Amino acid sequence: MSYVPTAPGAGMNARATREIGQPLASAAGWMKFIGIMFIIQGALTAITLIGIIIAWLPIWIGVLLLQSAGAAQRSHIQDDANALIEALTRLKTYFIIQGVLYLVGIALMIIYFMFFGAMVAAALHGNLGH
């Protein structure tokens, strides 16, 4: 049987919040580090003319990780279930963005290989026809 609170964080006692949030709170340092690295990556990407178009993505990802880490620590220190829900929600958004980026990358790679294959086939066909 699972427990579903009526409102975010309602009915969750402090011990449960602390125990559930402990693994996330203990990873907050790494989340902050990775978040800062994403922000730096976004800033460096923005230096180039084309990079300005996509620089917001790593910056947004970095901010999400920093916010999630802060909420996880706040949840653990203050036994705040709402902060734990906030941390997990921001982490969920991070994973969705990363998943979409991977899918876009795979699609672009498939298009690239199809284009490259067509170019090689055309070149071979042109050479064999003479």
Side-chain angles (χ1 to χ4, degrees):
M1 180 197 257
S2 64
Y3 172 76
V4 179
T6 56
M12 236 175 144
N13 65 34
R15 182 169 180 248
T17 302
R18 184 172 290 234
E19 288 177 16
I20 292 169
Q22 166 56 29
L24 194 58
S26 67
W30 284 107
M31 290 167 59
K32 287 180 180 181
F33 171 71
I34 294 170
I36 290 168
M37 295 308 292
F38 267 112
I39 291 170
I40 291 170
Q41 176 189 354
L44 292 174
T45 302
I47 292 173
T48 66
L49 188 58
I50 304 229
I52 292 173
I53 298 169
I54 60 168
W56 63 273
L57 257 171
I59 292 171
W60 181 26
I61 290 170
V63 169
L64 280 171
L65 285 174
L66 289 175
Q67 290 173 338
S68 180
Q73 287 178 322
R74 191 170 63 251
S75 166
H76 188 69
I77 292 168
Q78 299 174 356
D79 298 323
D80 183 358
N82 288 325
L84 179 59
I85 291 169
E86 177 189 345
L88 292 172
T89 301
R90 296 195 188 284
L91 205 53
K92 177 189 112 179
T93 305
Y94 163 78
F95 283 115
I96 290 170
I97 294 168
Q98 287 292 84
V100 169
L101 288 175
Y102 275 114
L103 290 174
V104 168
I106 290 169
L108 289 174
M109 187 174 51
I110 290 170
I111 291 168
Y112 170 78
F113 282 128
M114 289 172 56
F115 178 76
F116 182 72
M119 295 296 288
V120 169
L124 289 175
H125 181 69
N127 286 340
L128 294 176
H130 287 255

